[in-house]
Amino acid sequence: EEGAPGRRGERGEEPPAERGPGAAFHMFVLMEDLLDKLKLLSYEEEALRRHNMRPLSRHYFALPTNPGEQFFMFCTLAAWLISKAGHPFEQPQECDDPNAVISNVLSELRSF
């Protein structure tokens, strides 16, 4: 029946078997695109040097290597991007409650 929920092309995600052989590498492509965009914004000079952090690898967020470190890097970049967009945002600390940090980031993004 046409328009039946769950059919290919309808809203929602396709079952994993129908995604194609390249779907497993899509996250790596997204990470490389993200890194290119961050480099265009001079993230290494403006965000990383300020916090004594090393640059991201091409697949930093695509592979779960150290979730605590990756989460802190995400929060650092999110705070920097929010500040760069003209909204003052306090840099989170590693010891901050992760739920509170994410709540603050999302709240600030909603205010955009």
Side-chain angles (χ1 to χ4, degrees):
E1 190 176 288
E2 273 188 65
R7 289 213 173 239
R8 195 171 192 186
E10 292 292 316
R11 284 186 63 130
E13 293 186 26
E14 296 176 1
E18 295 182 29
R19 289 178 32 195
F25 301 101
H26 184 65
M27 192 57 59
F28 294 97
V29 173
L30 289 176
M31 180 59 210
E32 288 185 22
D33 287 345
L34 170 67
L35 191 56
D36 287 342
K37 291 173 184 176
L38 288 171
K39 284 181 180 180
L40 288 172
L41 292 171
S42 303
Y43 90 104
E44 292 169 323
E45 293 81 23
E46 294 183 24
L48 298 185
R49 284 197 185 141
R50 184 178 307 155
H51 302 290
N52 280 337
M53 300 173 111
R54 57 191 161 100
L56 301 177
S57 68
R58 294 181 332 145
H59 304 131
Y60 185 78
F61 290 117
L63 298 171
T65 54
N66 183 341
E69 177 186 305
Q70 288 171 312
F71 178 76
F72 182 66
M73 178 63 80
F74 168 78
C75 293
T76 299
L77 291 174
W80 172 71
L81 288 168
I82 290 169
S83 296
K84 192 156 182 77
H87 290 242
F89 193 82
E90 188 175 325
Q91 170 64 40
Q93 303 300 312
E94 278 191 272
C95 59
D96 291 348
D97 175 35
N99 292 320
V101 172
I102 289 298
S103 178
N104 291 340
V105 168
L106 290 174
S107 175
E108 192 63 40
L109 292 175
R110 284 185 193 107
S111 75
F112 277 63

